[in-house]
Each structure stands twice: as structure tokens, then as C-alpha cells.
Amino acid sequence: MLGFPIIIAVLQTALFLFVFKYETPKFLYIRKKRRICDEALSKIYITNADIDRVMSKIKAVTLSQGAGGEAGWKDLFGRTYITALIVVLALHCFQQLAGGNTFMMFSTKIFESAAKGDHTLPLIGTILAGLVTIDGVFSFSLIADEFGRKIIMTYGTLALVIFLLCMAAFSYFKIIMCQVAGIMGCLFFYSLSIGPVTWIYTSELLPPKGIGLATAANWFLVYGLIFLCNKFFTTKEGIASVLTVFAGFTFCAFLYSIIVMKETKGNFDIENKLLYAPKDIRLAALTSPVITPKQQRCEKD
């Protein structure tokens, strides 16, 4: 069983060493490695016009973040990013309280509770859960740029609430096949919506230090939930109760996506980074001489 992960790890290392060996163009530009930055951009874009356009965006973002080129901790908790940071951290809380990662951790235990002594069902169910999760993420990658993050988040979380409530009822009454179908539906819509949307939204709204802080908060919530849920995933009543609580928090995430979240699809990077910034900061950055509003409109057209 260990052989396959080792092969994947070796392949990944080889790709990073010999194929995807460049840092991001923005990082290279900030570190004043312009030649390597141009080489990296030439690997991604074909025409000089595309390269120049991307460079103008990189310069605009760098200018908006000050002379250092990258937002520091003071900037993160300042007027520019503090609202975006709060929005993202709340989204990470909802992501974990929707229960997707908890399902994956305890899927075998859930299936054992429903199997009534059948040792085959837990194994098959866990394998199917992994495949359904992959299918959900792949489906998200196909529709993310078509529908946008906000719409996918809104409808995906609503569907997830329905499946969570059904799953709670199926678990309580031990309707085995419906319980298996319910958890597959939960994992699919979690992986289609709030699972990946949270990470995409985080990378679009926050600078690197903010992403690191959000990631740390996310993992803290993961381990906290696993610790709390461990004693509940042993009886049908415990499983049903936890799933009902998850459904409640997911419904809050549904309302949150409607009321608080703003669409990022189609925006420039600088527009997303300043999406929740005060109006004066947005205007100052977007009207900088590096890239003017007129240039932005022409690029969008």
C-alpha cells in the first residue's frame, strides 16, 4: 500500500525540479529577478502582448502593497485587508463546520455503524467516498469560471444542507443504502462548493501572510472537530445529532454566501485583493499610473 504514495511523491518531486521549476512571476518580480520572471511568463503565455498585460497587473498589485512589494502583518491587520481577513476566516469556520473533512475522517466508523457486522461495506464505502470527493472537486474545476464562486457556493451549500438533514434521518433509523447514498451526496456537494471555494476565495482575497494565517486556523478547526466528534460517531443518535448541527452551520454558510460574499470571477488580481478594502484605498490603487481604469476596460473588452 505504501508503494503507490511513494511513486506519486517521487513523480511530484521530479516535476517540481525539472518541469515546474520557476517561482511565481509576482514573487520573482518582487525579488527583482526580472530576467527569470520574463522566462517564467514566457513558459505560460505565448504572445508578448499577453506577457506585457500580466506584467502590468503584477506592477499594479506590487504598487498597491507598498515599496516592500508584499503585504506584511501590519498591512494584513490594517484597513486594506482586515475586512477581507475576517470574511475569509469566517468562511473557513463554515467550511469545517459543514462536516466534509469530518466525514472523510470518520467515514469508516459511520459505515461500520450502519453495516451491522458486515465487514465489507465499511471498506467499499470508504473507497467510494474518496472517489466521490475527487469527482466533486473535478466538477468544480469545470464550472468555476463559468458560474463564479458566489453562485456555486450558494447553490452547493443549499444542496449540502438537504443531504445533511437526510443523512441525519437515515443514520438515526439505520436505513443502510440510503445512508450510504446520503454521505456520498454530502461529500459530492461539499467538494463541489464550500470545500474548494473557501481555498480559491482565500488565495484571491488575501496576501501570502493572510493565506498562511487562514490555513493555520483551518487546521486548528480540523483537529478540534475530530477531537470533539470522536465520541459522538459511535451511536446512531450521536451521528444524527452531529449531522443536524452540521446542517445548521451549513445553512448559515448558505446565508453568508448571499449576504456577505462578493463575486471574484472575471476580476483582475488587484481588484480581488482590494475587494473588501475601503473605497478610498481601492480608488487610489486602481487609478495608479501603472495601470489605469481605461486600460482595465480595454483589457476586459
Side-chain angles (χ1 to χ4, degrees):
M1 291 295 292
L2 292 175
F4 184 72
I6 292 173
I7 293 173
I8 295 297
V10 171
L11 179 61
Q12 185 181 45
T13 302
L15 287 173
F16 278 122
L17 287 175
F18 302 108
V19 180
F20 306 107
K21 57 184 179 180
Y22 293 101
E23 290 285 354
T24 63
K26 179 184 173 184
F27 175 86
L28 294 170
Y29 179 82
I30 291 172
R31 294 296 184 270
K32 302 185 185 304
K33 298 179 180 181
R34 182 59 190 269
R35 182 182 62 80
I36 304 177
C37 177
D38 290 339
E39 289 180 7
L41 286 171
S42 67
K43 298 289 185 180
I44 303 171
Y45 301 98
I46 298 175
T47 66
N48 290 330
D50 290 333
I51 294 175
D52 292 339
R53 185 176 71 252
V54 173
M55 277 303 304
S56 69
K57 296 175 188 177
I58 293 174
K59 291 176 182 178
V61 174
T62 304
L63 183 68
S64 73
Q65 293 174 345
E70 185 174 300
W73 291 110
K74 183 178 179 180
D75 301 307
L76 185 63
F77 292 98
R79 293 177 65 233
T80 302
Y81 290 109
I82 186 61
T83 303
L85 179 63
I86 294 171
V87 168
V88 167
L89 289 177
L91 193 57
H92 278 272
C93 290
F94 285 128
Q95 185 204 48
Q96 292 306 318
L97 291 170
N101 288 328
T102 307
F103 289 155
M104 290 302 298
M105 292 289 182
F106 292 101
S107 60
T108 302
K109 189 173 287 189
I110 294 173
F111 291 128
E112 285 175 351
S113 175
K116 297 180 180 179
D118 185 349
H119 298 292
T120 306
L121 179 62
L123 178 60
I124 295 175
T126 303
I127 294 173
L128 287 175
L131 293 175
V132 168
T133 302
I134 293 172
D135 185 51
V137 174
F138 179 73
S139 299
F140 171 79
S141 68
L142 296 178
I143 64 174
D145 290 331
E146 181 69 24
F147 296 101
R149 291 80 167 114
K150 184 181 176 75
I151 291 178
I152 295 174
M153 177 74 174
T154 301
Y155 288 101
T157 49
L158 182 59
L160 182 56
V161 170
I162 296 171
F163 271 94
L164 281 167
L165 291 175
C166 291
M167 178 66 181
F170 298 151
S171 298
Y172 184 81
F173 293 105
K174 285 202 170 184
I175 307 174
I176 298 177
M177 294 312 297
C178 292
Q179 189 175 359
V180 173
I183 195 170
M184 297 307 166
C186 290
L187 287 171
F188 177 80
F189 283 106
Y190 177 88
S191 303
L192 179 69
S193 58
I194 192 170
V197 167
T198 298
W199 293 109
I200 296 294
Y201 214 64
T202 300
S203 65
E204 289 178 332
L205 264 60
L206 296 181
K209 286 183 173 59
I211 296 172
L213 181 61
T215 303
N218 191 285
W219 278 108
F220 176 80
L221 288 167
V222 168
Y223 289 118
L225 277 174
I226 291 173
F227 177 77
L228 290 174
C229 293
N230 185 45
K231 59 182 178 181
F232 290 102
F233 279 86
T234 54
T235 65
K236 64 177 185 179
E237 293 83 3
I239 294 173
S241 299
V242 171
L243 291 172
T244 303
V245 172
F246 284 161
F249 279 110
T250 306
F251 184 73
C252 292
F254 164 73
L255 296 177
Y256 187 80
S257 68
I258 296 174
I259 299 170
V260 178
M261 286 184 66
K262 299 179 181 179
E263 184 55 71
T264 59
K265 186 192 79 164
N267 292 345
F268 292 125
D269 185 59
I270 186 174
E271 292 175 313
N272 286 332
K273 288 291 187 291
L274 303 176
L275 194 61
Y276 288 93
K279 187 176 181 180
D280 60 316
I281 294 178
R282 293 202 311 271
L283 288 175
L286 295 175
T287 56
S288 69
V290 176
I291 177 168
T292 65
K294 182 178 180 180
Q295 288 173 318
Q296 291 179 358
R297 288 195 295 272
C298 291
E299 289 183 352
K300 285 185 176 180
D301 295 336

